[in-house]
Amino acid sequence: MVVSILCGGSGTRLFPLSRELLPKQFAHILPKTDKYATSLFQETLARNVALCAEQGREPKIQIITNESLYFLAKDQAHDLGVQIDHFILESYGKNTAPALAMAALHTQKHYGGDEIILALPSDHLIAKDNYQSCIEQALEQARHNQIVTFGITPTSPHTGYGYIRVEQGSGRVLGFYEKPESKTAQKYVDSGEYFWNSGMFCFKASVLLDGLKHHANDIYTLCEEIFAQSQSQIIDEQECVRLDRELSQGLREESIDYALMEKADNIACITSQLRWSDVGSFESLSEEYPKDAQNNATNTHFIAKDSRNNFILSSRPVVGVGVEDMIIVDSDDCLLVSKMGESARIKEVLPRLRESYPELARTHRTTYRPWGSYTILLESSFYKIKQIIVKPKSRLSLQKHFHRNEHWIIVNGSAVVQLGDKEIFLQTNQSTYIPMGQPHRLENPGKIPLVVIEVQMGEYLGEDDIVRLADDYARK
């Protein structure tokens, strides 16, 4: 069995915690454990590595993600001590049908068409109760050439989930239904025939490909061509398949439900009472946090007077007086205030946010890179101050800028700076100057993180003023 984890989504419903370059599945949005705040992606990895161990199998893990998110996935897997066997890197997100086709093509090539794939979203929370037994049932169905989906027994007439109608007794799938209105959702729940669509699947690689070939031949044919043209490469000591960018543009964006599940006749559904959440809103996220006597859920010290039924996330103490049924999310660069039950409407506001503050929608003040991270400490129209952290034995790309000069001050660790055809070794309290247009590179040769304060000055300070001349991570 190959565990194939899809983690290319943007998770915009959890803005400002989730951004384009740090989407929901990778953001540390869950309550802190003794070690760290776990991401949904890490939860998914840990759950399925444990599953394989319980089944006596060596885990074979395949990650399908956007090329810009590869290093987040790799680093978070490394933090858990989990080895990823293969990464499939998309240039464009085209929904689940192309992604699962690529997963099946890759699996068929490496393990054969009869290999079973357990395909999972990376941003759902699932309790371990009954998980193994559900997967075992699905594997048995998949061995008989069924494409298996998982239906979650609804606990409420939820309007934020799709539904699967299943014939009672036989388990035969009668239909897939998009997110309903509240009255329709209530009818679904009352009937006992409808289950929440979990977005989890289990199938033989060859069976899925045969189904797509028959029911969505344009997707199948182009995916086959893209996969044939794509080359495996080693990026930062990890094997990756980077899908052909030009051909991928032509793929039709389609979910596997529309492309195949609603049309095929070999669909089975495992119905279960798994404790499951897609964590698709702040309301559902609040259920993961402990609550006080007034039903306030928070990650901080909430000093409250006559305040109840609130969800508050902040890195600093919060004082509330007479506050009820509110969601308050205080990130380092943006504050969200919403009525409880209304937070999903953030998607209606995001287009205006992108227009006015495009970088705010794209990333936090701290942005993660394959070599480490940088944090914007202060900025104006003509200067910007950053803290740069470079991981041991890592280095930035060889690059130059057309619109800015830079000053680097070493505050921790040691650095090797390439400046034109010269190489400079710098230690703590030492600095250097990089003039506009000069090729340069920053490297950490040591065993501890390198911390640098960078002062940029110039007429344009955007992150797109970078011309990469050479790069260890195969970035464009």
Side-chain angles (χ1 to χ4, degrees), residues 437-453:
Q438 181 76 277
H440 59 280
R441 177 176 241 161
L442 177 65
E443 178 179 354
N444 179 2
K447 297 181 179 180
I448 63 173
L450 165 64
V451 182
V452 176
I453 297 299

Side-chain angles (χ1 to χ4, degrees), residues 183-241:
K183 288 183 179 180
T184 304
Q186 187 64 60
K187 290 179 181 178
Y188 288 172
V189 173
D190 291 344
S191 74
E193 292 185 336
Y194 292 79
F195 297 81
W196 290 339
N197 187 347
S198 70
M200 299 161 52
F201 304 96
C202 189
F203 48 80
K204 286 182 181 177
S206 59
V207 170
L208 183 95
L209 292 172
D210 287 344
L212 287 172
K213 187 175 183 179
H214 182 69
H215 295 289
N217 188 257
D218 64 315
I219 292 177
Y220 168 81
T221 301
L222 187 50
C223 282
E224 194 175 44
E225 183 181 358
I226 291 167
F227 190 76
Q229 294 295 324
S230 301
Q231 295 184 346
S232 180
Q233 59 185 142
I234 303 299
I235 303 176
D236 197 25
E237 302 180 350
Q238 172 70 55
E239 182 182 357
C240 302
V241 175

Side-chain angles (χ1 to χ4, degrees), residues 10 12 68 88 136 236 280 303 336 347 351 391 455 475:
S10 60
T12 53
S68 65
I88 299 173
E136 291 291 355
D236 197 25
I303 304 166
L336 170 70
K347 61 185 179 183
K391 295 184 290 188
V455 181
R475 293 173 295 172

